[in-house]
Amino acid sequence: MSQIQKLQELNEKIIRCKKCHRLASYIKKVAKEKVRRFSNEKYWGRPLSGFGDINARLLIIGLAPAAHGGNRTGRMFTGDSSGNWVARVLYEYGFATKPTSEKIGDGFSLINTYITASLRCAPPQNKPLKEEIDNCSSYLEEELSILNNVKVIVCLGKIGFDSCCKLLHIKGIKFSHGKSFTHKKWIIISTYHPSKQNTQTGRLTWKQWSGIFSKAKRILDKTK
Ligand code: SF4
């Protein structure tokens, strides 16, 4: 089976997954109730697969789809404020075709980059249970085994970072913004998550955020 077929098979498995009963019912409920500003839209309301370039050298690991972002649009980091930060910075450094990611079919695509997350279902208040993170970790593992060219892994927030460390058996390194280190064939970079909580409070500034991807780009350019 080719790598593309493996990835397609994995993604089909992910969108059918119902391992976490709490999350499976939560995302359905959100999709049914909606919020007023999106009341005319049909929500995706299912788990989300990762997306991007199968030959990606840059992998981004987020927390989970946003309840009214990815869970609505059907694509991670699409249609919410975190997605705006991700799309803009990726475009700035040549990792995306346009600086906005609003909905499927909008012409936004990733270049040399793949986006995934620790969880594929939006958790209530963005707070997953440990067992839910554990349930979803096998998907991340399978993805990484298919995405053979990944060199730099950017982890968004502590949950993304911890999932990455667990998966790669990295021990004794604590999350902090801007940390980077080499582990086997990968260079891991951690950043605060570009959630509203962080960007609107100034905990994560645009300069700090842009600096993370500037670093990733420099590393990838040097190791071509
Ligand atoms: S979070 Fe992951 S493991 Fe849990 S139901 Fe969603 S896709 Fe399945």
Side-chain angles (χ1 to χ4, degrees):
M1 194 187 287
S2 71
Q3 297 303 92
I4 290 182
Q5 286 169 323
K6 281 186 198 167
L7 192 58
Q8 279 169 347
E9 201 165 273
L10 170 63
N11 289 345
E12 280 160 24
K13 186 166 64 179
I14 291 170
I15 65 172
R16 287 196 308 268
C17 181
K18 290 192 170 66
K19 273 194 255 179
C20 311
H21 300 300
R22 185 182 80 116
L23 300 187
S25 62
Y26 177 70
I27 59 173
K28 285 266 176 267
K29 183 170 176 284
V30 169
K32 196 170 162 214
E33 293 176 356
K34 309 180 182 181
V35 277
R36 190 181 293 172
R37 67 186 185 282
F38 300 127
S39 59
N40 293 329
E41 293 196 23
K42 187 172 176 0
Y43 275 50
W44 171 255
R46 281 182 279 166
L48 284 182
S49 65
F51 78 105
D53 180 353
I54 195 168
N55 298 310
R57 297 181 71 228
L58 173 64
L59 177 69
I60 298 173
I61 305 179
L63 162 58
H68 301 284
N71 188 52
R72 172 176 58 91
T73 60
R75 191 172 70 192
M76 283 194 194
F77 288 105
T78 299
D80 67 326
S81 64
S82 301
N84 292 342
W85 273 52
V86 169
R88 190 177 142 200
V89 84
L90 291 179
Y91 179 72
E92 202 167 294
Y93 289 99
F95 295 118
T97 52
K98 57 188 285 202
T100 53
S101 172
E102 288 158 358
K103 58 181 182 183
I104 288 176
D106 61 0
F108 178 84
S109 61
L110 297 170
I111 300 165
N112 201 13
T113 301
Y114 199 87
I115 295 183
T116 187
S118 301
L119 289 108
R120 318 311 171 110
C121 297
Q125 282 94 45
N126 282 328
K127 288 193 177 123
L129 305 176
K130 186 188 168 297
E131 70 198 59
E132 292 164 347
I133 299 173
D134 290 346
N135 283 348
C136 220
S137 62
S138 64
Y139 297 140
L140 194 54
E141 190 174 1
E142 282 186 64
E143 265 169 346
L144 199 59
S145 73
I146 294 168
L147 302 169
N148 289 325
N149 293 336
V150 170
K151 173 75 187 165
V152 173
I153 304 177
V154 174
C155 305
L156 311 185
K158 185 174 182 309
I159 291 180
F161 179 75
D162 288 348
S163 298
C164 175
C165 289
K166 192 170 175 206
L167 175 62
L168 301 180
H169 308 289
I170 297 166
K171 291 199 174 124
I173 300 187
K174 284 201 175 140
F175 171 80
S176 68
H177 176 83
K179 181 171 279 181
S180 66
F181 58 93
T182 301
H183 176 76
K184 298 184 181 167
K185 65 173 185 168
W186 302 284
I187 295 168
I188 324 284
I189 307 176
S190 55
T191 166
Y192 291 136
H193 193 286
S195 62
K196 264 194 193 164
Q197 259 175 344
N198 289 335
T199 57
Q200 289 187 344
T201 56
R203 188 172 194 223
L204 179 65
T205 64
W206 183 261
K207 197 174 167 198
Q208 285 174 308
W209 176 241
S210 177
I212 295 293
F213 290 87
S214 165
K215 188 187 275 188
K217 171 99 175 130
R218 275 198 312 276
I219 294 167
L220 290 173
D221 285 349
K222 257 195 248 164
T223 54
K224 261 179 186 165

